[in-house]
Amino acid sequence: MKPRVLITLFLASLLVVMWGCESLKFSRPVIPIREYERMIIGRLDANYVGTQNCLKACHYHDQIRRDFDASTMGAQLSEKSGLPLVDCESCHGPGSLAIEGITEERVQEDAKRGTQTACNYETFLDYTSLPAPAVSLVCLKCHTANATFNLHDWNAGTHSQNDVTCSDCHDIHAGPDLKVEPRKTAQMCFKCHPERRSEFMLTSRHPVMEGKIFCTSCHSPHGSPYESQLKEGMVKEICTKCHGDKEGPFLYEHAENTDECGRCHSPHGSVNNNLLRVSQPFLCMQCHFAHRLSTSAPSTKREFFTRCTDCHSMIHGTDIPSAGGVGRFTQ
Amino acid sequence: MKKSLIILFTAFLAVFIPWTVLAQHTEHVEGQLLYEFPRIDPVLALTGGYRYIKTNKSDNIPRLEFDLVEDSVIIGVDSSFFRYPDRFTLNFFYEDRKDYFLDVGYGYRDLILARWINSTIFHNTDNIRYLNETAIDQRDSDANRYGLKTGINDILFRLKYPGYAAHLYFEGSMVAKEGTIQQRSLGGAAHFANRIKTTQARDIDWETNRFTFGLNSHLGHVEADYAFSLKTFDVTGGERVLEDSFTAGGGRPAGDYLHHQLSETNGMTHTLKFHTAYTGKIVGAAAVSFTQRDNDDSDAEANIIRANAAITMMPRTNITFFLKYRHQTRDVDNPDTFTLVDQSGVNPDSVLSVRNSISSKTDHVSLKARYRVLPDLTLRGGYTFDYHRRGNAEEWHIVESTKKHKVSISADTRPYKGLKLKAGYSFRKNSDPAYNTEPDDAHEGTVSAFWIPTPRVSLWARYSIAMEDREHLHYVDSTGASVSTEDREKMSDNAMGTITFLVVKNLSVSGYYTYMHNRIEEDIIANPSTGPPTVLTDVDSPYTDVVNSFGGRISYRARHDLEFEVAASHTVATSGFQVSIAEATQPDTIAQFSRLKTRETTVSTSGRLDLMEGLKLSVQYLFSIYDDIHQTQADADGNAHVVMATLSKTL
């Protein structure tokens, strides 16, 4: 059967399945991680009280509540109960012990004395003491049930392998936009990758420090099957999002170099012009013969040994042969 | 195929949209309000200001590479509006007529999500002048100012099925570039016998667009996603191809010929993904994609098949294994010939044969493990194997296949509170590397430490070193003759550190130092003239680049409504290579034409003052001076002052 017929049938059956099959709507882990699930369930001797009860006595977290309600998570209501699917206790654990003894009168009295009434927050989950995979599990419990395909490569990705958690990057109480603002990603990424900040401060660089392109323009922070968590399978596919004139395929290719831009270019920053790892002509002489070394004329030596791309200006690939009838990237 | 998909998506929308609109607002049950969303006041913050730029000697200093060197008005708007079920956010910043940023988003319950991010950048590009060369034709002048405005637009639109995790989505990426660049080319015969290095201004106007339509859903034990992408590169204006008159040379008769063509391309990709739940002891993910890319001008085409799979296994909570596999088949097909057309019509067309590009197959397998020995000590190790096979290798004079092995280990620990240590080492072994820049063996090591000895002091330091070895380099000259030489060695090391003092509660001082060093030693091969190829070898010719950069920052919060910051940095960079044989050093060394030594000093200050009634005044000043000591960078010496003053108010 032709592939397109198979794909069409697959998609059609998918639609049919969506209208029925209640059992397909639930997430089922392959062998649940019981130890971590026990860690993140919260106090078993506490009850769930609801967001409004959490906050009604004191107003310290009112802004957080407003921001959360204004977010995508806050906008999700259960079809059956009409109540929010995600609230404070979804992540922090049941709150009845935390608000025990906290009344509006007590809060007002403390405020008159100049002190802030603290709830018994020790009864909540202590994220600082949980292992990284357990911290991420709090988020993944829901984000595995709602087809968040951003996380398709998360578990085997470099960040997950290195114990980076969701909350290391996503501060869900910073505001209603739960995603990291693009112009702030660089400063956030530099906290763990400070060597990249140094590279972006070199004279030839991508404008990441200026906030004009972002780490996430090329890298997928949620994981990727490719090296360095790049978004695409070939380096060239990422670079040619902006440098589309170099994608090809061309009649005359620069061997396999035009797939691997990183062979010549250093994408974060370089001391050499055009992000070159090594300056010309040495860059090219690593693989190629140099021309006319024996000439005694200084002007000819300068002509051949300043920049090879003065003549070989279509070095990324071309559809037009050189004067000699082959692919020398001069035309 | 496209027709089937369009019909399917239209049918989906025809059912989905009315269902969504008619879906009950479930916060009401039997007339009783179960859950009341809090009232959230809309927010609107406006910023207005002015930017003043003054440059001396050159507008092309590196610190201003991505700035339009013009005074400009600054405008900013930050807005958010939330009234259930609608959510709207807007963030807009206008720096000048070619630099602005927009991030606008809309959400309707959890059913509709839309976002548009635009980042428009101006890039000053090079104006290279040929100095002391005899055969040149510079059709532009050093007064030409070159630059490109690039608009990058990313759009997301997603629909969710009510009460069920199924999504229909559209992602768009549109990049448009326009401006004028300097085009370098060869005139005369564009061949050795008669070559004239030429520069001219060239108008650029092109777009790369990528549109993806996708559908994903939760399906019990797995989730599935299908996406279809279209990608095009179109030249929408400017000069798509250049034409010039050439003299005879290299076997091509004198005539008018096209050159430096911007070829339009298009392609499509089908991608299918599956994964299990993310929360189990075993998590699996797999994807397969089929990509086709065509060159509309030359009919070259590439078909790429990719498959990848990953399994994470956690037999115990303190040990996890990560197994990954990926495969890529890249099949490239060119027409066998190219027809050379004399645009003047004087010469008959000539048919030239074309060598087929390199097709390839790559398999990659990696197995990594993470072992948490103690709560504060984690060990990681891994093995990676790559097997790359090439088609048409003999015609390209490269090896048919290359195998790569990599072993890595690392550890991170917190021996006591306030101290974090990390160390890592990897070893790579390549069998039959194809290109001289690929090593036979490579070692890489990194150590870093983060230490807070007292609450007022934090220190961070990192050192990394990489060493590569290669024996038997391989060169091929224009006649197809092959030459082998001895070895190549590469060593890179970087050291960096920062220190921060919290002098008093409102005053912090920090400093940093960065050292980066690369050194390559390799035999260089050259043809002395047009005679029979004889090889001149400069053994172990070294290339080196070094960067030393240091700087500091002082941040002071005088009052709750007044804060200042002062920062300064100084960077010295050098790069170049050396040669020793007579042919390369007489009458002058060839190394002088590419050696680089630059100094850059940047000082910046900024301050913020909260005025009455929510009004904030911000002032920033930047001074940068750049000195290209050997004058090798195109027109980059100079200094610049940038002053930016803005007033912001939240309404």
Side-chain angles (χ1 to χ4, degrees):
Chain A
M1 203 183 274
K2 290 181 182 172
R4 65 178 179 178
V5 173
L6 274 172
I7 291 169
T8 309
L9 277 175
F10 169 74
L11 290 172
S13 45
L14 204 61
L15 281 175
V16 169
V17 157
M18 276 160 50
W19 267 278
C21 294
E22 276 291 316
S23 62
L24 292 178
K25 297 180 181 179
F26 299 99
S27 170
R28 292 178 178 80
V30 180
I31 313 178
I33 312 174
R34 297 284 180 218
E35 303 91 325
Y36 288 158
E37 299 220 6
R38 275 193 284 273
M39 286 179 192
I40 64 175
I41 203 167
R43 290 278 295 258
L44 294 178
D45 56 343
N47 293 317
Y48 290 93
V49 297
T51 295
Q52 278 160 327
N53 286 318
C54 278
L55 304 177
K56 74 176 179 186
C58 81
H59 298 279
Y60 190 61
H61 298 303
D62 279 2
Q63 184 60 47
I64 289 178
R65 194 251 169 119
R66 278 194 291 272
D67 288 342
F68 194 83
D69 280 346
S71 70
T72 310
M73 285 208 280
Q76 297 187 71
L77 299 183
S78 164
E79 277 203 346
K80 294 195 172 97
S81 68
L83 295 170
L85 278 172
V86 188
D87 64 4
C88 308
E89 292 167 298
S90 304
C91 301
H92 291 288
S96 63
L97 293 177
I99 63 169
E100 211 168 57
I102 310 287
T103 61
E104 288 191 57
E105 292 75 26
R106 182 179 154 194
V107 170
Q108 283 164 13
E109 279 170 26
D110 287 344
K112 282 179 196 164
R113 283 198 290 269
T115 61
Q116 181 185 312
T117 312
C119 68
N120 305 315
Y121 55 82
E122 306 86 6
T123 59
F124 285 130
L125 287 176
D126 178 12
Y127 280 91
T128 59
S129 67
L130 291 178
V135 173
S136 295
L137 189 64
V138 174
C139 310
L140 293 175
K141 281 187 311 175
C142 293
H143 286 279
T144 195
N146 70 352
T148 310
F149 260 86
N150 284 357
L151 302 174
H152 174 80
D153 297 298
W154 169 257
N155 284 76
T158 307
H159 278 156
S160 172
Q161 289 178 27
N162 284 279
D163 288 336
V164 176
T165 68
C166 310
S167 50
D168 285 330
C169 302
H170 293 278
D171 182 354
I172 64 168
H173 293 316
D177 187 359
L178 304 173
K179 295 183 184 177
V180 181
E181 213 185 303
R183 290 190 299 170
K184 293 181 180 166
T185 49
Q187 296 308 320
M188 183 186 69
C189 299
F190 290 155
K191 286 182 189 162
C192 295
H193 302 283
E195 69 281 6
R196 299 298 173 222
R197 184 205 303 269
S198 304
E199 290 175 28
F200 281 118
M201 291 179 71
L202 295 173
T203 48
S204 179
R205 70 221 179 269
H206 274 115
V208 169
M209 298 296 280
E210 289 89 340
K212 298 187 180 185
I213 67 167
F214 327 111
C215 305
T216 49
S217 302
C218 304
H219 298 279
S220 169
H222 299 120
S224 151
Y226 312 115
E227 298 299 325
S228 305
Q229 299 207 140
L230 292 174
K231 282 181 160 178
E232 303 286 352
M234 284 196 298
V235 172
K236 180 166 80 166
E237 287 175 328
I238 296 169
C239 306
T240 52
K241 175 186 170 183
C242 296
H243 304 283
D245 53 328
K246 297 168 176 66
E247 181 159 21
F250 299 107
L251 273 188
Y252 302 97
E253 297 271 9
H254 193 172
E256 292 173 301
N257 286 344
T258 43
D259 290 347
E260 180 48 67
C261 310
R263 202 164 269 138
C264 297
H265 295 279
S266 173
H268 301 123
S270 173
V271 304
N272 302 304
N273 208 12
N274 295 326
L275 293 170
L276 292 175
R277 288 189 182 275
V278 170
S279 61
Q280 299 180 60
F282 192 89
L283 173 75
C284 314
M285 293 198 293
Q286 293 176 107
C287 296
H288 297 285
F289 277 81
H291 299 305
R292 306 290 177 96
L293 191 63
S294 291
T295 179
S296 58
S299 61
T300 309
K301 272 204 155 68
R302 177 185 288 274
E303 180 190 349
F304 282 108
F305 292 99
T306 305
R307 286 169 300 267
C308 308
T309 51
D310 283 351
C311 300
H312 300 277
S313 44
M314 293 296 280
I315 198 63
H316 299 104
T318 178
D319 286 335
I320 298 177
S322 61
V326 291
R328 294 282 180 258
F329 311 110
T330 56
Q331 304 274 279
Chain B
M1 178 61 194
K2 283 186 207 177
K3 215 172 168 180
S4 309
L5 282 168
I6 290 168
I7 293 169
L8 206 55
F9 285 134
T10 308
F12 184 94
L13 283 175
V15 174
F16 178 81
I17 288 178
W19 185 277
T20 307
V21 171
L22 293 172
Q24 286 187 329
H25 286 240
T26 54
E27 65 270 25
H28 286 87
V29 171
E30 295 177 355
Q32 193 181 4
L33 185 64
L34 279 182
Y35 184 75
E36 184 180 356
F37 274 88
R39 179 180 167 77
I40 301 170
D41 292 327
V43 172
L44 177 64
L46 300 174
T47 300
Y50 195 76
R51 185 189 68 182
Y52 167 75
I53 295 184
K54 180 176 187 301
T55 58
N56 290 313
K57 284 176 75 179
S58 168
D59 288 354
N60 241 358
I61 68 166
R63 201 46 54 194
L64 297 185
E65 184 178 352
F66 297 100
D67 283 292
L68 183 67
V69 183
E70 282 178 11
D71 299 342
S72 69
V73 169
I74 293 170
I75 300 168
V77 179
D78 257 299
S79 173
S80 58
F81 170 84
F82 304 103
R83 183 169 297 165
Y84 186 82
D86 300 291
R87 306 188 305 282
F88 173 79
T89 56
L90 169 72
N91 176 237
F92 173 66
F93 186 74
Y94 175 93
E95 197 173 324
D96 56 62
R97 60 190 171 88
K98 295 191 181 179
D99 276 292
Y100 38 88
F101 175 82
L102 172 72
D103 183 356
V104 59
Y106 171 75
Y108 175 83
R109 294 175 61 188
D110 61 333
L111 301 178
I112 298 175
L113 197 65
R115 193 172 189 182
W116 172 29
I117 298 173
N118 169 280
S119 180
T120 298
I121 308 162
F122 185 73
H123 183 197
N124 291 293
T125 56
D126 290 331
N127 181 342
I128 292 172
R129 314 314 299 163
Y130 295 136
L131 305 169
N132 304 321
E133 295 183 38
T134 47
I136 59 174
D137 176 13
Q138 300 217 261
R139 302 172 190 173
D140 58 348
S141 77
D142 60 357
N144 279 77
R145 286 289 167 260
Y146 293 118
L148 282 174
K149 174 182 157 189
T150 304
I152 305 171
N153 291 280
D154 289 302
I155 293 175
L156 165 72
F157 183 74
R158 196 183 74 191
L159 299 172
K160 177 177 171 289
Y161 196 86
Y164 186 70
H167 306 96
L168 181 68
Y169 61 91
F170 165 77
E171 290 173 358
S173 164
M174 292 147 284
V175 178
K177 275 198 184 182
E178 60 172 319
T180 308
I181 60 165
Q182 183 185 56
Q183 179 68 66
R184 290 173 286 157
S185 62
L186 268 184
H191 199 255
F192 280 112
N194 178 11
R195 60 195 186 275
I196 301 175
K197 288 170 81 170
T198 303
T199 62
Q200 62 189 313
R202 182 175 187 176
D203 291 330
I204 292 292
D205 189 350
W206 53 249
E207 288 178 3
T208 302
N209 295 314
R210 180 173 173 169
F211 303 118
T212 302
F213 302 88
L215 172 68
N216 62 42
S217 177
H218 185 77
L219 290 172
H221 275 102
V222 298
E223 293 183 334
D225 179 288
Y226 168 75
F228 171 71
S229 292
L230 290 166
K231 187 176 180 185
T232 60
F233 172 75
D234 297 304
V235 181
T236 48
E239 294 157 277
R240 196 160 98 77
V241 66
L242 304 179
E243 181 181 330
D244 271 296
S245 296
F246 294 90
T247 59
R252 184 174 69 175
D256 293 349
Y257 297 103
L258 301 178
H259 62 101
H260 290 80
Q261 175 175 280
L262 285 170
S263 301
E264 294 189 325
T265 59
N266 74 84
M268 65 171 79
T269 303
H270 300 274
T271 308
L272 199 56
K273 293 182 181 178
F274 293 95
H275 59 246
T276 65
Y278 300 137
T279 54
K281 289 194 173 188
I282 299 177
V283 179
V288 63
S289 70
F290 304 90
T291 299
Q292 182 185 327
R293 287 211 60 78
D294 295 307
N295 183 320
D296 296 339
D297 290 289
S298 66
D299 294 329
E301 61 179 52
N303 291 292
I304 305 166
I305 298 172
R306 285 201 191 94
N308 54 72
I311 298 179
T312 307
M313 294 163 287
M314 188 186 283
R316 296 166 58 93
T317 52
N318 64 342
I319 184 160
T320 309
F321 297 100
F322 309 90
L323 177 65
K324 291 167 100 162
Y325 168 76
R326 63 174 188 263
H327 171 84
Q328 176 178 289
T329 294
R330 186 165 183 266
D331 187 20
V332 188
D333 192 30
N334 298 338
D336 293 330
T337 57
F338 173 84
T339 303
L340 182 67
V341 176
D342 179 355
Q343 304 294 315
S344 70
V346 169
N347 297 293
D349 296 350
S350 54
V351 176
L352 305 168
S353 64
V354 176
R355 176 171 61 171
N356 215 31
S357 297
I358 301 173
S359 298
S360 63
K361 285 187 185 179
T362 309
D363 288 288
H364 168 99
V365 178
S366 75
L367 176 62
K368 296 186 180 175
R370 178 182 66 209
Y371 177 40
R372 195 167 289 110
V373 181
L374 297 167
D376 292 324
L377 173 63
T378 303
L379 302 177
R380 293 180 184 84
Y383 168 72
T384 301
F385 173 67
D386 277 88
Y387 183 34
H388 185 76
R389 286 91 74 205
R390 299 174 186 89
N392 206 26
E394 201 177 312
E395 214 177 335
W396 285 81
H397 308 288
I398 56 174
V399 292
E400 270 190 15
S401 68
T402 301
K403 291 179 185 165
K404 299 180 183 180
H405 306 265
K406 180 177 173 182
V407 175
S408 60
I409 54 170
S410 68
D412 54 71
T413 179
R414 295 181 193 214
Y416 55 85
K417 192 176 173 186
L419 177 63
K420 275 192 245 184
L421 300 171
K422 274 187 165 184
Y425 167 76
S426 70
F427 170 69
R428 278 186 291 144
K429 177 126 191 94
N430 298 333
S431 303
D432 297 322
Y435 306 103
N436 290 345
T437 50
E438 290 175 318
D440 290 322
D441 302 314
H443 304 262
E444 188 171 340
T446 309
V447 291
S448 67
F450 179 69
W451 185 32
I452 306 177
T454 79
R456 291 186 178 276
V457 178
S458 66
L459 296 147
W460 173 80
R462 180 181 186 270
Y463 179 73
S464 67
I465 183 165
M467 297 165 70
E468 296 178 4
D469 274 310
R470 171 71 183 270
E471 292 179 4
H472 310 304
L473 302 175
H474 177 68
Y475 294 83
V476 177
D477 76 0
S478 54
T479 67
S482 172
V483 176
S484 289
T485 67
E486 288 299 310
D487 61 355
R488 166 189 159 99
E489 290 173 0
K490 181 178 175 188
M491 200 271 272
S492 307
D493 64 329
N494 297 342
M496 43 194 78
T498 63
I499 181 167
T500 304
F501 292 103
L502 188 64
V503 180
V504 290
K505 198 168 93 170
N506 297 337
L507 174 66
S508 72
V509 177
S510 60
Y512 77 87
Y513 173 70
T514 298
Y515 166 77
M516 296 186 207
H517 167 239
N518 290 305
R519 182 177 173 90
I520 300 169
E521 288 186 3
E522 178 176 329
D523 300 348
I524 293 177
I525 301 290
N527 264 342
S529 69
T530 54
T534 47
V535 172
L536 301 169
T537 306
D538 195 340
V539 177
D540 291 340
S541 181
Y543 165 90
T544 310
D545 65 58
V546 180
V547 176
N548 281 281
S549 177
F550 58 90
R553 181 188 303 270
I554 300 172
S555 301
Y556 177 52
R557 190 175 188 140
R559 300 194 303 260
H560 70 275
D561 58 348
L562 177 65
E563 53 191 46
F564 301 103
E565 191 170 274
V566 177
S569 66
H570 181 72
T571 303
V572 178
T574 59
S575 87
F577 71 107
Q578 294 171 39
V579 286
S580 56
I581 57 174
E583 292 88 340
T585 53
Q586 290 170 8
D588 296 308
T589 175
I590 60 171
Q592 68 177 310
F593 305 121
S594 61
R595 68 184 176 190
L596 177 84
K597 183 170 182 181
T598 65
R599 286 197 206 106
E600 183 184 39
T601 305
T602 302
V603 176
S604 65
T605 65
S606 63
R608 185 184 64 82
L609 173 65
D610 292 347
L611 303 169
M612 68 283 195
E613 295 188 8
L615 206 57
K616 290 185 191 6
L617 171 69
S618 293
V619 179
Q620 296 170 57
Y621 168 70
L622 175 109
F623 169 71
S624 182
I625 181 165
Y626 185 78
D627 187 9
D628 178 10
I629 293 161
H630 295 307
Q631 297 294 304
T632 43
Q633 302 279 38
D635 184 31
D637 263 1
N639 62 66
H641 303 263
V642 181
V643 180
M644 230 162 58
T646 58
L647 270 173
S648 306
K649 172 128 175 88
T650 301
L651 302 172

